[in-house]
Amino acid sequence: DHWPALRGNVIGMDCYLGIDLGTSSVKAAVFDAEGVCLGSGRADIDKLNGFAPDRHLHDPRQWWDKTVSAVQEALAQVKPNYVLRSIACCGFHHVPVFLDAKGEPAMPVLMMHDAELPAFREKLQEDGRLEKLHTATHSLVSSAHLPSITEAVCTLFPQQWAQVRHV
């Protein structure tokens, strides 16, 4: 293993790993201190089959596997005289993973660009729940995608929702 990553004063040229967990793929890239790309990788995230074409559902368990695959592809292109100094990650936002009592995903993840989410948001808006949430939290973020996604999964996956213990 020529990657003594993040272990202090290792001699070598510095490099940095960036990871982007997107809604359709995971991208990883390694850069030197000058910003030159030394290696990159990509792994597509599979949309779950068996749902309407405008449904955007993921199995969150694949996110880790796809991240590992993209990172390994990127690192394999980097010469061993480089030392990984830091890792930066970013990803899509406001996408909760609902977990059961064992800490496993209780249901697929409903992505924020699902075609039916606007209808769930309108329902929350009409009955005043979004306004109450915003007033209670003083946060526009808390009244953005999360309530709509939660309302949708409660409605679409009632049996799985009954198993949810953690978000």
Side-chain angles (χ1 to χ4, degrees), residues 23 56 92-95 110-115 117-118 145 149:
T23 57
H56 290 276
F92 43 78
H93 61 286
H94 310 299
V95 180
L110 185 64
M111 301 304 290
M112 62 191 177
H113 54 276
D114 187 89
L117 279 184
H145 298 294
I149 290 172

Side-chain angles (χ1 to χ4, degrees), residues 5 31 54 68 70 84 88 111 135 141 143 149 167:
F31 298 91
D54 57 352
V68 169
L84 184 60
M111 301 304 290
T135 300
V141 172
S143 58
I149 290 172
V167 179

Side-chain angles (χ1 to χ4, degrees), residues 14-83:
D14 293 346
C15 68
Y16 309 90
L17 172 63
I19 302 168
D20 176 15
L21 175 55
T23 57
S24 63
S25 66
V26 178
K27 284 83 61 189
V30 180
F31 298 91
D32 69 11
E34 304 300 317
V36 174
C37 184
L38 304 171
S40 63
R42 176 189 173 110
D44 290 335
I45 295 174
D46 304 317
K47 208 168 93 167
L48 292 180
N49 294 323
F51 297 94
D54 57 352
R55 301 254 51 145
H56 290 276
L57 296 157
H58 287 180
D59 179 348
R61 293 172 289 211
Q62 74 172 314
W63 294 339
W64 178 252
D65 295 336
K66 300 294 184 168
T67 299
V68 169
S69 178
V71 168
Q72 287 176 335
E73 183 181 343
L75 291 176
Q77 300 166 41
V78 180
K79 295 178 183 173
N81 58 324
Y82 282 91
V83 178

